Amino acid sequence: MHAPGPGAPPPESAAIELYYDDFAPHYVPGWRSLEHYGPLVADFLLRTVTPECRVLDVGCGPGQLTRDLPPDVSVTGIDLSPQMLARAEEGRPGGHYERHDFHDPLPGGWERFDVVVAVGCLEFCRDLPATLRHLADACVPGARLLVGVVEDRTAQAPGHTRRAFSDEGLPGVDMHCYDEAAQRAAVEAAGLSAASYRFLPAWRHDEYSLVVRYGWWELRKDAPGR
Ligand SMILES: C[S@@+](CC[C@H](N)C(=O)[O-])C[C@H]1O[C@@H](n2cnc3c(N)ncnc32)[C@H](O)[C@@H]1O
């Protein structure tokens, strides 16, 4: 086996891309029946999205969380999976959908965002402090963010822990879990303020017969100097 060369994407990213490319045609009905967070995301967007604002949908998949926002709202979705991005584009032809890994800084030439949703994707986040920093850097001061981080209160160790994501679908790829203290530290290090934190069900993991729970954060990007 060859070691990945310098600059090569980590092997788990390639596996995640393939997995979600395969999943894309069946995603909406399949996932809708497993996730618990649709209403929570819809409520956040209802409270935060204003006319002509700019929304970033992180790990957007087929874009269904933000696809139905009013047409004057600018929606940008980022994802690893080209097939998911293609479906997102079909669903909202006026949206901007780009292949981008949330572990990397968002391109400096992009617009800055007023509202960010990072839900259903940070399962794969190997570095929460860096990822939240990139999202904060992509926002205007005063921006509002909704972030869902897997929190496994059965974990045997504090901080950042891992468990298998799916032996059937993604063998060898971890689900990344962060305890509340690690989440809070990442939020603060990114220059974000917590308006609220809740520990709530996120989705049903049928393979392991468990409910994956998130630390749900509503965040605000502080103005510089605060
Ligand atoms: C379960 S789907 C969730 C889609 C959507 N956020 C939702 O909740 O319906 C997870 C998505 O995250 C994407 N993803 C996983 N790791 C990513 C990464 N490092 N950067 C960008 N997208 C990623 C996957 O490709 C997939 O489309």
Side-chain angles (χ1 to χ4, degrees):
M1 236 169 75
H2 297 287
E12 58 265 51
S13 297
I16 292 165
E17 176 182 334
L18 277 178
Y19 176 73
Y20 282 105
D21 270 357
D22 282 351
F23 197 178
H26 324 286
Y27 179 83
V28 173
W31 186 241
R32 269 278 147 91
S33 68
L34 297 177
E35 56 92 344
H36 296 278
Y37 53 66
L40 192 148
V41 176
D43 169 69
F44 170 78
L45 292 171
L46 200 63
R47 286 185 287 107
T48 55
V49 169
T50 53
E52 297 183 13
C53 83
R54 294 151 298 183
V55 175
L56 175 65
D57 188 345
V58 179
C60 62
Q64 79 275 10
L65 295 177
T66 51
R67 141 187 320 165
D68 295 326
L69 288 172
D72 67 329
V73 171
S74 163
V75 173
T76 297
I78 58 170
D79 204 282
L80 285 179
S81 157
Q83 291 300 323
M84 286 291 199
L85 291 164
R87 280 176 170 74
E89 199 146 13
E90 274 166 28
R92 189 176 173 98
H96 314 280
Y97 296 98
E98 300 281 346
R99 190 174 182 287
H100 182 83
D101 187 330
F102 56 60
H103 293 99
D104 297 329
L106 278 92
W110 286 16
E111 61 185 355
R112 305 283 102 179
F113 297 96
D114 305 293
V115 174
V116 175
V117 175
V119 170
C121 57
L122 298 178
E123 279 73 351
F124 303 107
C125 182
R126 303 182 298 276
D127 187 342
L128 188 63
T131 299
L132 293 187
R133 162 60 64 191
H134 300 325
L135 298 184
D137 287 347
C139 287
V140 297
R144 310 275 298 270
L145 301 88
L146 178 67
V147 172
V149 181
V150 180
E151 186 175 324
D152 177 7
R153 292 194 175 177
T154 69
Q156 300 295 311
H160 176 188
T161 54
R162 296 145 199 261
R163 55 183 301 161
F165 180 80
S166 162
D167 293 310
E168 285 169 7
L170 265 174
V173 172
D174 286 333
M175 173 147 68
H176 292 262
C177 315
Y178 297 82
D179 68 11
E180 185 187 343
Q183 294 171 48
R184 194 173 293 282
V187 162
E188 288 171 3
L192 296 167
S193 298
S196 69
Y197 158 81
R198 289 178 287 171
F199 178 64
L200 292 174
W203 54 279
R204 201 174 74 242
H205 198 317
D206 279 348
E207 185 183 338
Y208 300 151
S209 303
L210 61 88
V211 173
V212 174
R213 291 169 198 273
Y214 286 172
W216 285 101
W217 296 85
E218 278 200 36
L219 304 171
R220 185 184 291 272
K221 177 170 171 166
D222 295 333
R226 290 199 58 212

